[in-house]
């Protein structure tokens, strides 16, 4: 049987900082408590990058270095590197170029994709096109955010949720039926009102007033985002199932964005999918924005089997959301 060429994930590696910020630590910083955070979000601790001089590119670099070692790939073999992030080292240049420099990927080019919590998903779908159509042989896709750099640790609505981390995957061509099969990606710019950072861009360049007003931090209307997140992840997953002639029973794993344990269980519930086949690591990392899907893959890699049908699904600022269906390649 001949299969068409598809881009497949042939390795995954993650990196998180050692420093932990626990619910007990947060109790001392804002008016919250471990019971509220655990029961409302499922998060017990998150990792915070505190290494002096380190930023998102350094987390990406560590993840990619591990990936290259694991997949026996030399930096010079990488053709393209995409980073999904909203917390790049600088507004410009992009973080992907910095990562290429730091890992010595002299033959690669790349760019960042700003799709917030859907960043990894959008980057994965983008990178896959270059591999599936034969333009490039080895594409690295990274999802990483240093959320601690844009979180207000005086705002209990947001500071309990987010953490820092990075994960990277290698994409290569496969002709054995495995790899990325299909995806449904969506966006609705009207959602920007409910999840954003008010200042620091061209709309409100940074000045003393924006800093004094604490406008350089994440703002979120959590309740509203929660509702749209469940709807968006469920509807795009259902669309994928429908158009690939699959039922939910054909799916071996769902890898959801880790924003809130209640969102994850609600998505599984609506899809009629068993929770023990949903990858969950939110309790130890919190919401690492573009980092979550890759970090889940990294944590559950040894449980995936070749040909497993897997759905990735995410929702985030923009609004951006979507789902991707792949057959695990190893
Ligand atoms: O990843 C990108 C997309 N983001 C998401 O998907 C996040 C979606 N939203 C959420 O995960 C949830 O909405 C939150 C975790 C952000 C909030 O949970 P919630 O159950 O929606 O709480 P709420 O905002 O409705 O607040 C309920 C109560 C309020 O008190 P009152 O007004 O009922 O007295 C809040 O002030 O809980 C209070 N509250 C807290 N209490 C203790 C809010 N944050 C905290 C806190 N500790 N950290």
């Amino acid at each position: 049987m001949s299969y068409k060429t598809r881009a497949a994930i042939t390795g995954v590696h993650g990196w998180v900082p050692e420093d932990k910020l626990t619910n007990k630590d947060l109790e001392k910083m804002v008016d919250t408590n471990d019971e509220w955070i655990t029961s409302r979000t499922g998060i017990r601790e998150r990792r915070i990058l505190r290494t002096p001089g380190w930023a998102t590119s350094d987390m990406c670099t560590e993840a990619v270095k591990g990936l290259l070692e694991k997949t026996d790939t030399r930096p010079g073999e990488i053709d393209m590197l995409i980073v999904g992030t909203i917390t790049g080292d600088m507004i410009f240049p992009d973080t992907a170029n910095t990562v290429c420099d730091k890992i010595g990927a002299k033959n690669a080019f790349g760019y960042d994709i700003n799709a917030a919590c859907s960043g990894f998903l959008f980057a994965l779908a983008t990178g896959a096109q270059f591999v599936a159509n034969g333009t490039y042989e080895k594409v690295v896709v990274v999802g990483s955010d240093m959320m601690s750099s844009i979180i207000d640790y005086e705002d209990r609505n947001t500071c309990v949720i987010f953490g820092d981390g990075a994960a990277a995957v290698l994409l290569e061509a496969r002709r054995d039926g495995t790899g990325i099969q299909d995806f449904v990606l969506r966006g609705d710019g009207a959602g920007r009102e409910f999840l954003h950072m008010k200042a620091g861009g061209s709309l409100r360049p940074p000045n003393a007033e924006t800093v004094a007003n604490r406008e350089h931090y994440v703002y979120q209307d959590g309740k509203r985002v929660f509702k749209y997140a469940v709807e968006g992840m469920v509807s795009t997953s259902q669309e994928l199932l429908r158009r690939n002639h699959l039922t939910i029973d054909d799916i071996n794993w769902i890898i959801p964005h880790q924003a809130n344990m209640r969102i994850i269980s609600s998505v599984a519930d609506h899809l009629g999918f068993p929770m023990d086949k949903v990858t969950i690591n939110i309790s130890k990392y919190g919401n690492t924005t573009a980092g979550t899907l890759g970090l889940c893959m990294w944590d559950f890699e040894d449980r995936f089997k070749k040909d497993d049908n897997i759905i990735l699904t995410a929702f985030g600022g923009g609004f951006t959301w979507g789902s991707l269906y792949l057959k695990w390649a190893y």
Side-chain angles (χ1 to χ4, degrees), residues 80-102:
M80 181 184 192
L81 186 147
I82 310 177
V83 177
T85 189
I86 53 164
T87 52
D89 291 17
M90 301 178 183
I91 285 205
F92 83 93
D94 65 314
T95 298
N97 272 304
T98 305
V99 177
C100 288
D101 179 46
K102 287 183 176 175

Side-chain angles (χ1 to χ4, degrees), residues 30-33 36-37 40-41 117 156-157 160-162 195 220-223 225-226 229 257-260 262-263 287 289 315-317:
V30 288
D31 181 14
T32 191
N33 57 77
W36 191 96
I37 305 172
R40 305 302 292 173
T41 71
C117 299
R156 70 176 184 174
N157 290 301
V160 302
I161 301 168
F162 294 96
L195 183 48
Q220 174 172 252
D221 177 343
K223 262 207 173 350
V225 177
F226 189 114
H257 173 50
Q258 310 282 300
N260 185 318
R262 289 183 295 133
I263 295 180
N287 181 350
T289 301
F315 185 94

Side-chain angles (χ1 to χ4, degrees), residues 82-145:
I82 310 177
V83 177
T85 189
I86 53 164
T87 52
D89 291 17
M90 301 178 183
I91 285 205
F92 83 93
D94 65 314
T95 298
N97 272 304
T98 305
V99 177
C100 288
D101 179 46
K102 287 183 176 175
I103 61 169
K106 300 283 181 216
N107 301 315
F109 82 105
Y111 45 79
D112 296 354
I113 287 187
N114 177 331
C117 299
S118 310
F120 181 79
L121 196 65
F122 282 27
L124 186 61
T126 304
Q129 304 313 302
F130 291 95
V131 174
N133 68 19
T135 308
Y136 299 122
E137 282 181 22
K138 292 183 195 288
V139 173
V140 171
V141 174
V142 196
S144 177
D145 274 298

Side-chain angles (χ1 to χ4, degrees), residues 29 78 162:
M29 297 161 66
I78 303 172
F162 294 96

